[in-house]
Amino acid sequence: MQNLKEYITHPVFSQIGKISDQEGIETYVVGGFVRDLLMERKREYYDIDVVTVGSGIVLATKVAAALRPGLKVTVFKNFGTAMFKFDDIDFEFVGARRESYQRESRKPFVEDGTLEDDQKRRDFTINALAICLNSDRFGDLLDSFNGVGDLERKIIRTPLEPEVTFSDDPLRMLRAIRFAAQLDFMIEDKTLEAIQTQCNRIEIVSRERVTDELNKIILSPKPSIGFKLLEKTGLLAIILPEIQKLKGRETRNGIGHKDNFYHTLEVLDRISKNTDNLWLRWSALLHDVAKPVTKRFDPRLGWTFHAHNFVGEKMLPSIFDRLKLPLNEKLKYVQKLVSLHMRPIVLSEEEVTDSAVRRLLCDAGDDIDDLMTLCEADITSKNPDKVSRFMSNFQLVREKLKDIEERDALRNFQPPITGEIIMETFSLPPGREIGIIKSAIKEAILEGEIHNNYDEAYQYMLAKGDELGLKAKI
Ligand code: CTP
């Protein structure tokens, strides 16, 4: 039997072991901590799951009191669980149970069980490993379902028949795919088939839990692994039908268009090499979401997806709402990137003028760098000449952006002349002239006719007022 005591050096573990010995109960550390330890996978944040063949609540309370008097223990009586935070690590305690492990279920747990009962009701063999904490067996690894073998072979497999494991908690279908993406593992055939046949049962899981897993898939090193599996199993059509609809090619008059599903996944993988920003990754996933609804065939032009960026932007609030994603500035950010995602490309296809770059800078504001990252990821052409032309023009756009940004500080464009100044200067009440003058000043700055400063804008305002027949106060 493998012994891992040299890896479980945190003093809480020995304390748990000591109290368990005193109480005469067996206690183990289980779940993701053991899996990641064996994989030598570094984690920034841990929650550590502890199972005891006894009362989790009693054990947690006694361990906490021994560690530091007054250490706060949070108890979830209905679930028979308790937790405390120590050294910034969440330690969660549960009594071994015969029925399924259902952390978020409203059903109170009923029957106590042995460690083996508990392990077999867990989701995957790689998560059903346990390390004993009692002093006589401290560090012993218990592996009833050959989880270590599956870790070596990089396989996701359920300890029981997959139908049983998934019907206990259908979220596990998504978790299987999430682990496959995060760890770059394969899902065993039988387990995958069970997901295919039971995919509809995901409907009974709360949106928040589904979205939590989706976010983890999006944040994994190569998200396409997860999305291809979501598609293959039928889960994608249920949880993100808009992305499912991107799949497929059509040919008419001998003209085809690319498969926008695989294109999207390529963009998502490419961007994931450059950013861990969840919302930038969501922008990559959703950048072409309106292509299916805007798709037309024009005998002269071939396939067009006219205004798919703007239509996409409008589709986002309902998608975010349905997925319970935040409807705040995160949504606005993704909307902005989706709506602007073609601008730098179009720019780089044409001659890169100062005025076009100024307009881009003004519209993208602080998100300009993220927008450029998205656009670069969006260049997935197989034609190397095309790619290198885009990339070098892109470099030009970047240089000009830098240049102009330094000159004009347009990134957070604030009009140098406010509506109040215009009203004051021409003794005007609020009215349409104010808007006309304000946008004329903005246009003049963007076109490079005047610099972005108060004095030049003030003179421009006077001239524009004159044109409109307004008299300035002396
Ligand atoms: N578990 C389960 N079924 C679920 C959720 C969790 O069987 N639907 C079990 C697994 O044994 C899992 C453990 O509870 O390892 C802890 O769950 P969780 O903290 O969600 O996952 P981890 O495996 O710790 O992985 P991560 O922290 O990466 O989410």
Side-chain angles (χ1 to χ4, degrees), residues 257-311:
H257 65 73
K258 65 179 167 216
D259 184 314
N260 287 304
F261 176 64
Y262 292 108
H263 163 72
T264 294
L265 296 191
E266 211 178 322
V267 177
L268 183 55
D269 280 352
R270 283 166 61 92
I271 211 161
S272 301
K273 291 192 183 126
N274 293 321
T275 182
D276 287 330
N277 173 348
L278 174 66
W279 305 106
L280 185 49
R281 290 189 181 199
W282 266 106
S283 307
L285 179 67
L286 294 169
H287 78 288
D288 278 346
V289 71
K291 277 200 167 170
V293 293
T294 55
K295 181 166 113 170
R296 301 278 178 278
F297 186 78
D298 179 317
R300 280 175 307 120
L301 302 171
W303 293 103
T304 66
F305 303 91
H306 184 65
H308 73 272
N309 52 328
F310 298 124
V311 178

Coordinates of all heavy atoms in Angstrom, one line a residue, residues 257-311:
H257 N -19.0 27.9 -46.8 CA -18.5 28.8 -45.7 C -17.9 27.9 -44.7 O -18.1 26.7 -44.6 CB -19.6 29.7 -45.1 CG -20.7 28.9 -44.4 ND1 -20.5 28.4 -43.2 CD2 -22.0 28.6 -44.7 CE1 -21.6 27.8 -42.8 NE2 -22.5 27.9 -43.7
K258 N -17.0 28.5 -43.8 CA -16.3 27.7 -42.8 C -17.3 27.2 -41.7 O -18.4 27.8 -41.6 CB -15.2 28.4 -42.2 CG -15.5 29.7 -41.4 CD -14.3 30.3 -40.9 CE -14.6 31.7 -40.3 NZ -13.6 32.7 -40.5
D259 N -16.9 26.2 -41.0 CA -17.7 25.7 -39.9 C -17.5 26.6 -38.7 O -16.4 26.7 -38.2 CB -17.4 24.3 -39.6 CG -18.3 23.7 -38.5 OD1 -18.5 24.4 -37.5 OD2 -18.8 22.6 -38.6
N260 N -18.5 27.4 -38.4 CA -18.2 28.5 -37.4 C -18.1 27.9 -35.9 O -17.6 28.6 -35.1 CB -19.3 29.5 -37.4 CG -19.1 30.4 -38.7 OD1 -18.1 31.0 -38.9 ND2 -20.2 30.4 -39.5
F261 N -18.5 26.7 -35.7 CA -18.3 26.1 -34.4 C -16.8 25.8 -34.2 O -16.2 26.2 -33.2 CB -19.1 24.8 -34.3 CG -18.9 24.0 -33.0 CD1 -19.3 24.6 -31.8 CD2 -18.4 22.8 -33.0 CE1 -19.1 23.9 -30.6 CE2 -18.2 22.0 -31.8 CZ -18.6 22.6 -30.6
Y262 N -16.2 25.1 -35.2 CA -14.8 24.8 -35.0 C -13.9 26.1 -35.1 O -12.9 26.2 -34.4 CB -14.4 23.7 -36.0 CG -15.0 22.4 -35.7 CD1 -16.1 21.9 -36.5 CD2 -14.7 21.7 -34.5 CE1 -16.7 20.7 -36.2 CE2 -15.3 20.6 -34.2 CZ -16.3 20.1 -35.0 OH -17.0 18.9 -34.6
H263 N -14.4 27.0 -35.9 CA -13.7 28.3 -35.9 C -13.7 28.9 -34.5 O -12.7 29.4 -34.0 CB -14.3 29.2 -37.0 CG -13.9 30.7 -36.8 ND1 -12.6 31.1 -37.0 CD2 -14.6 31.7 -36.3 CE1 -12.5 32.4 -36.8 NE2 -13.7 32.8 -36.3
T264 N -14.9 29.0 -33.9 CA -15.0 29.6 -32.6 C -14.1 28.9 -31.6 O -13.5 29.5 -30.8 CB -16.5 29.5 -32.1 OG1 -17.3 30.4 -33.0 CG2 -16.7 30.0 -30.7
L265 N -14.1 27.6 -31.6 CA -13.3 26.8 -30.7 C -11.8 27.1 -30.9 O -11.0 27.2 -29.9 CB -13.5 25.3 -30.8 CG -14.9 24.8 -30.4 CD1 -14.9 23.3 -30.3 CD2 -15.4 25.5 -29.1
E266 N -11.4 27.3 -32.1 CA -10.0 27.7 -32.4 C -9.7 29.0 -31.8 O -8.6 29.2 -31.2 CB -9.8 27.7 -33.9 CG -8.4 27.3 -34.3 CD -8.3 27.3 -35.9 OE1 -9.2 26.8 -36.6 OE2 -7.2 27.7 -36.3
V267 N -10.6 30.0 -32.0 CA -10.4 31.3 -31.4 C -10.3 31.2 -29.9 O -9.4 31.9 -29.3 CB -11.6 32.3 -31.9 CG1 -11.4 33.6 -31.3 CG2 -11.6 32.4 -33.4
L268 N -11.2 30.4 -29.3 CA -11.2 30.3 -27.9 C -9.9 29.7 -27.4 O -9.3 30.1 -26.4 CB -12.4 29.5 -27.5 CG -12.6 29.2 -26.0 CD1 -12.7 30.6 -25.2 CD2 -13.9 28.4 -25.7
D269 N -9.4 28.7 -28.0 CA -8.1 28.0 -27.7 C -7.0 29.0 -27.8 O -6.1 29.1 -27.0 CB -7.8 26.8 -28.5 CG -8.6 25.6 -28.0 OD1 -9.2 25.7 -27.0 OD2 -8.5 24.6 -28.7
R270 N -7.0 29.8 -29.0 CA -5.9 30.7 -29.2 C -5.9 31.8 -28.1 O -4.8 32.2 -27.6 CB -6.1 31.4 -30.6 CG -5.7 30.4 -31.7 CD -6.2 30.9 -33.1 NE -5.6 32.3 -33.4 CZ -4.5 32.5 -34.1 NH1 -3.8 31.5 -34.6 NH2 -4.1 33.7 -34.3
I271 N -7.1 32.3 -27.8 CA -7.1 33.4 -26.8 C -6.7 32.9 -25.4 O -6.1 33.6 -24.7 CB -8.5 34.1 -26.8 CG1 -8.3 35.6 -26.4 CG2 -9.4 33.5 -25.8 CD1 -9.4 36.5 -26.8
S272 N -7.0 31.6 -25.2 CA -6.7 31.1 -23.9 C -5.2 31.0 -23.6 O -4.7 30.9 -22.5 CB -7.3 29.7 -23.7 OG -8.7 29.9 -23.9
K273 N -4.4 31.0 -24.7 CA -2.9 31.0 -24.5 C -2.5 32.4 -24.1 O -1.4 32.5 -23.5 CB -2.3 30.7 -25.8 CG -2.5 29.2 -26.3 CD -1.6 28.9 -27.4 CE -1.8 27.5 -27.8 NZ -2.1 27.3 -29.3
N274 N -3.3 33.4 -24.3 CA -2.8 34.8 -23.9 C -3.6 35.4 -22.8 O -3.2 36.5 -22.4 CB -3.0 35.7 -25.2 CG -2.1 35.3 -26.3 OD1 -1.0 34.9 -26.0 ND2 -2.6 35.3 -27.5
T275 N -4.7 34.8 -22.3 CA -5.4 35.5 -21.2 C -6.1 34.5 -20.3 O -6.6 33.4 -20.8 CB -6.4 36.5 -21.8 OG1 -7.0 37.1 -20.6 CG2 -7.5 35.8 -22.6
D276 N -6.2 34.8 -19.1 CA -7.0 34.0 -18.1 C -8.2 34.8 -17.7 O -8.9 34.4 -16.8 CB -6.2 33.7 -16.9 CG -5.2 32.6 -17.1 OD1 -5.4 31.8 -18.0 OD2 -4.1 32.7 -16.5
N277 N -8.5 35.9 -18.4 CA -9.7 36.7 -18.1 C -10.9 36.0 -18.6 O -11.1 35.8 -19.8 CB -9.5 38.1 -18.8 CG -10.7 38.9 -18.7 OD1 -11.8 38.5 -18.4 ND2 -10.6 40.2 -19.1
L278 N -11.7 35.5 -17.7 CA -12.9 34.7 -18.0 C -13.8 35.5 -19.0 O -14.3 34.8 -19.9 CB -13.7 34.5 -16.7 CG -15.1 33.8 -16.9 CD1 -14.9 32.3 -17.4 CD2 -15.8 33.7 -15.6
W279 N -13.9 36.8 -18.9 CA -14.9 37.5 -19.7 C -14.3 37.7 -21.1 O -15.1 37.7 -22.1 CB -15.3 38.8 -19.0 CG -15.8 38.4 -17.7 CD1 -15.2 38.6 -16.5 CD2 -17.0 37.7 -17.4 NE1 -16.0 38.1 -15.5 CE2 -17.1 37.5 -16.0 CE3 -18.1 37.2 -18.2 CZ2 -18.1 36.8 -15.4 CZ3 -19.1 36.5 -17.6 CH2 -19.1 36.4 -16.2
L280 N -13.0 37.8 -21.2 CA -12.4 37.9 -22.5 C -12.6 36.5 -23.2 O -12.9 36.5 -24.4 CB -11.0 38.3 -22.4 CG -10.2 38.6 -23.7 CD1 -11.0 39.5 -24.7 CD2 -8.8 39.2 -23.4
R281 N -12.5 35.5 -22.5 CA -12.7 34.1 -23.1 C -14.2 34.0 -23.5 O -14.5 33.4 -24.5 CB -12.2 33.1 -22.1 CG -10.7 33.0 -21.9 CD -10.3 31.8 -21.1 NE -8.9 31.7 -20.9 CZ -8.3 30.6 -20.6 NH1 -9.0 29.5 -20.4 NH2 -7.0 30.6 -20.4
W282 N -15.1 34.5 -22.6 CA -16.5 34.4 -23.0 C -16.7 35.2 -24.3 O -17.5 34.8 -25.2 CB -17.4 35.0 -21.9 CG -18.0 34.0 -21.0 CD1 -17.6 33.8 -19.7 CD2 -19.0 33.0 -21.2 NE1 -18.3 32.8 -19.1 CE2 -19.2 32.3 -20.1 CE3 -19.8 32.7 -22.3 CZ2 -20.2 31.3 -19.9 CZ3 -20.8 31.7 -22.2 CH2 -21.0 31.0 -21.1
S283 N -16.0 36.3 -24.5 CA -16.2 37.1 -25.7 C -15.7 36.3 -26.9 O -16.4 36.4 -28.0 CB -15.3 38.4 -25.6 OG -15.6 39.1 -24.4
A284 N -14.7 35.6 -26.7 CA -14.2 34.8 -27.8 C -15.2 33.7 -28.2 O -15.5 33.4 -29.3 CB -12.9 34.1 -27.5
L285 N -15.8 33.1 -27.1 CA -16.8 32.0 -27.4 C -18.0 32.6 -28.1 O -18.6 31.9 -28.9 CB -17.2 31.4 -26.0 CG -18.3 30.3 -26.1 CD1 -17.7 29.1 -26.8 CD2 -18.8 29.9 -24.7
L286 N -18.4 33.8 -27.8 CA -19.6 34.4 -28.3 C -19.4 35.4 -29.5 O -20.4 35.9 -30.0 CB -20.4 35.1 -27.2 CG -20.9 34.2 -26.0 CD1 -21.3 35.1 -24.8 CD2 -22.0 33.3 -26.5
H287 N -18.2 35.5 -29.9 CA -18.0 36.6 -30.9 C -18.8 36.4 -32.2 O -19.2 37.4 -32.8 CB -16.5 36.9 -31.2 CG -15.9 35.9 -32.1 ND1 -15.6 34.5 -31.7 CD2 -15.5 36.0 -33.4 CE1 -15.1 33.9 -32.8 NE2 -15.0 34.7 -33.8
D288 N -19.0 35.2 -32.6 CA -19.7 35.0 -33.9 C -21.1 34.4 -33.6 O -21.7 33.8 -34.5 CB -19.0 34.0 -34.7 CG -17.9 34.7 -35.5 OD1 -17.9 35.9 -35.6 OD2 -17.0 33.9 -36.1
V289 N -21.6 34.6 -32.4 CA -22.9 33.9 -32.0 C -24.0 34.2 -32.9 O -25.0 33.4 -33.1 CB -23.2 34.2 -30.5 CG1 -23.7 35.6 -30.3 CG2 -24.2 33.2 -30.0
A290 N -24.0 35.4 -33.6 CA -25.2 35.7 -34.5 C -24.9 35.3 -35.9 O -25.8 35.6 -36.8 CB -25.4 37.2 -34.4
K291 N -23.9 34.6 -36.2 CA -23.7 34.2 -37.6 C -24.9 33.3 -38.1 O -25.3 33.6 -39.2 CB -22.3 33.4 -37.8 CG -21.2 34.5 -37.9 CD -20.0 33.9 -38.6 CE -19.0 34.9 -39.0 NZ -17.7 34.4 -39.4
P292 N -25.4 32.3 -37.4 CA -26.5 31.5 -37.9 C -27.7 32.4 -38.3 O -28.3 32.2 -39.3 CB -26.8 30.5 -36.8 CG -25.5 30.4 -36.0 CD -24.9 31.8 -36.1
V293 N -28.0 33.4 -37.4 CA -29.2 34.2 -37.7 C -29.0 35.2 -38.8 O -30.0 35.8 -39.3 CB -29.9 34.8 -36.4 CG1 -30.4 33.8 -35.5 CG2 -28.9 35.7 -35.7
T294 N -27.8 35.6 -39.1 CA -27.6 36.6 -40.1 C -27.1 36.1 -41.4 O -26.8 36.8 -42.3 CB -26.5 37.6 -39.6 OG1 -25.3 36.9 -39.2 CG2 -27.0 38.4 -38.3
K295 N -27.0 34.7 -41.5 CA -26.4 34.1 -42.6 C -27.3 34.3 -43.9 O -28.5 34.0 -43.8 CB -26.2 32.6 -42.3 CG -25.6 31.8 -43.5 CD -25.1 30.5 -43.0 CE -26.0 29.4 -43.5 NZ -25.4 28.0 -43.3
R296 N -26.8 34.7 -45.0 CA -27.5 34.8 -46.3 C -26.6 34.4 -47.4 O -25.4 34.5 -47.3 CB -27.9 36.3 -46.6 CG -28.7 37.0 -45.5 CD -30.2 36.7 -45.7 NE -30.9 37.4 -44.6 CZ -31.1 36.9 -43.3 NH1 -30.5 35.8 -43.0 NH2 -31.8 37.6 -42.4
F297 N -27.3 33.9 -48.5 CA -26.4 33.6 -49.6 C -26.8 34.6 -50.7 O -27.9 34.8 -51.1 CB -26.7 32.2 -50.2 CG -25.8 31.9 -51.3 CD1 -24.4 31.5 -51.0 CD2 -26.2 31.9 -52.6 CE1 -23.6 31.2 -52.1 CE2 -25.3 31.7 -53.6 CZ -24.0 31.3 -53.4
D298 N -25.7 35.3 -51.2 CA -25.9 36.3 -52.2 C -25.2 35.8 -53.4 O -23.9 35.5 -53.4 CB -25.3 37.6 -51.7 CG -25.4 38.8 -52.8 OD1 -25.1 38.5 -54.0 OD2 -25.7 39.9 -52.4
P299 N -25.9 35.6 -54.6 CA -25.2 35.0 -55.7 C -24.0 35.8 -56.2 O -23.0 35.2 -56.7 CB -26.3 35.1 -56.8 CG -27.6 35.3 -56.1 CD -27.3 36.0 -54.8
R300 N -23.9 37.1 -55.9 CA -22.7 37.8 -56.3 C -21.6 37.7 -55.2 O -20.4 37.6 -55.5 CB -23.1 39.3 -56.6 CG -23.7 39.5 -57.9 CD -24.2 41.0 -58.1 NE -25.0 41.3 -56.9 CZ -24.8 42.3 -56.1 NH1 -23.7 43.0 -56.2 NH2 -25.6 42.6 -55.1
L301 N -22.0 37.9 -54.0 CA -21.0 38.0 -52.9 C -20.7 36.6 -52.2 O -19.7 36.5 -51.5 CB -21.5 38.9 -51.8 CG -21.8 40.4 -52.3 CD1 -22.5 41.1 -51.1 CD2 -20.5 41.1 -52.7
G302 N -21.5 35.6 -52.5 CA -21.4 34.4 -51.7 C -22.1 34.5 -50.3 O -23.0 35.2 -50.2
W303 N -21.5 33.8 -49.3 CA -22.1 33.8 -48.0 C -21.8 35.1 -47.3 O -20.7 35.6 -47.3 CB -21.6 32.7 -47.2 CG -22.0 31.3 -47.7 CD1 -21.3 30.5 -48.4 CD2 -23.3 30.8 -47.6 NE1 -22.0 29.4 -48.8 CE2 -23.3 29.5 -48.3 CE3 -24.5 31.2 -47.0 CZ2 -24.4 28.7 -48.4 CZ3 -25.6 30.3 -47.1 CH2 -25.6 29.1 -47.8
T304 N -22.8 35.7 -46.7 CA -22.6 36.9 -45.9 C -23.2 36.7 -44.5 O -24.2 35.9 -44.3 CB -23.3 38.2 -46.5 OG1 -24.7 38.0 -46.5 CG2 -22.8 38.4 -47.9
F305 N -22.7 37.4 -43.6 CA -23.2 37.4 -42.2 C -23.3 38.8 -41.7 O -22.7 39.2 -40.7 CB -22.2 36.6 -41.3 CG -21.9 35.2 -41.7 CD1 -20.9 34.9 -42.6 CD2 -22.7 34.2 -41.4 CE1 -20.6 33.7 -43.1 CE2 -22.5 32.9 -41.8 CZ -21.4 32.6 -42.7
H306 N -24.1 39.6 -42.5 CA -24.1 41.0 -42.3 C -24.5 41.4 -40.9 O -25.5 40.9 -40.4 CB -25.1 41.6 -43.4 CG -25.1 43.1 -43.3 ND1 -24.0 43.8 -43.7 CD2 -26.1 43.9 -43.0 CE1 -24.3 45.1 -43.5 NE2 -25.5 45.2 -43.1
A307 N -23.7 42.3 -40.3 CA -24.0 42.9 -39.0 C -24.0 41.9 -37.9 O -24.7 42.1 -36.9 CB -25.2 43.7 -39.0
H308 N -23.4 40.7 -38.1 CA -23.5 39.7 -37.0 C -22.9 40.2 -35.7 O -23.3 39.7 -34.7 CB -22.9 38.3 -37.5 CG -21.4 38.4 -37.5 ND1 -20.7 38.8 -38.6 CD2 -20.4 38.0 -36.6 CE1 -19.4 38.7 -38.4 NE2 -19.2 38.2 -37.2
N309 N -22.0 41.1 -35.8 CA -21.4 41.6 -34.6 C -22.4 42.4 -33.8 O -22.6 42.2 -32.5 CB -20.2 42.5 -34.9 CG -20.4 43.6 -35.9 OD1 -21.2 43.4 -36.8 ND2 -19.8 44.7 -35.8
F310 N -23.2 43.2 -34.4 CA -24.2 44.0 -33.7 C -25.4 43.1 -33.3 O -25.9 43.3 -32.2 CB -24.8 45.2 -34.6 CG -23.7 46.1 -34.9 CD1 -23.4 46.5 -36.2 CD2 -22.9 46.7 -33.9 CE1 -22.4 47.4 -36.6 CE2 -21.8 47.6 -34.2 CZ -21.6 47.9 -35.5
V311 N -25.8 42.2 -34.1 CA -26.9 41.3 -33.7 C -26.5 40.5 -32.6 O -27.2 40.3 -31.6 CB -27.4 40.4 -34.9 CG1 -28.5 39.5 -34.5 CG2 -27.8 41.3 -36.1

